[in-house]
Amino acid sequence: SRGSYAEYGKQWYQRRVRGQLVNATAEQVEKMRDAVRVFFLNKGVDPVNGLKRDDWVEANRVFAEAERERERRGEPSLIAMLSNAYYDVLDDDGDGTDDDDELKTKMKAFAV
């Protein structure tokens, strides 16, 4: 069965962060979880019912158009918000640079 965004975030945190795979603060993790929620809500993914596969491509196309419109209006990009939140969680030493070890950690964190 499908879980909620909150459940997914809690499971990810328990497996990856509390398991000491990354050294993120609770605030960084919460910011990332919020970014994931906002990002996928804006893609049209319902927190309970999800998004049907048949609608996924169209949802991505519409989201891309909305991102361009946000950029045109000088509004923050949701892609940048999510990317920065993930980066902050996984930038282990906080130096603002991804090195080989941190990239390996990212791959492990997301089971890639």
Side-chain angles (χ1 to χ4, degrees):
S1 83
R2 275 196 185 111
S4 70
Y5 294 130
E7 290 168 5
Y8 173 78
K10 182 178 178 183
Q11 290 170 4
W12 184 89
Y13 176 79
Q14 289 172 339
R15 285 191 318 265
R16 306 301 180 186
V17 178
R18 252 193 354 197
Q20 300 305 309
L21 186 55
V22 295
N23 293 318
T25 66
E27 182 180 320
Q28 289 171 318
V29 171
E30 190 59 35
K31 184 178 175 183
M32 183 198 66
R33 290 166 74 186
D34 287 344
V36 168
R37 182 185 54 76
V38 168
F39 181 82
F40 282 103
L41 283 173
N42 278 275
K43 277 205 171 214
V45 179
D46 183 274
V48 175
N49 299 313
L51 181 68
K52 293 183 181 186
R53 182 179 186 92
D54 294 344
D55 299 328
W56 182 250
V57 172
E58 180 65 11
N60 281 285
R61 188 189 64 72
V62 170
F63 180 83
E65 289 176 15
E67 275 289 277
R68 283 190 292 278
E69 184 62 24
R70 278 189 280 281
E71 182 180 28
R72 187 186 69 72
R73 292 189 309 236
E75 297 173 0
S77 161
L78 296 179
I79 292 171
M81 175 197 60
L82 179 59
S83 297
N84 287 327
Y86 272 119
Y87 198 98
D88 290 344
V89 165
L90 297 171
D91 181 18
D92 213 25
D93 58 11
D95 69 352
T97 304
D98 252 347
D99 59 30
D100 284 345
D101 289 336
E102 289 169 334
L103 288 171
K104 288 176 187 173
T105 298
K106 282 181 175 79
M107 295 300 108
K108 286 180 188 174
F110 297 105
V112 176

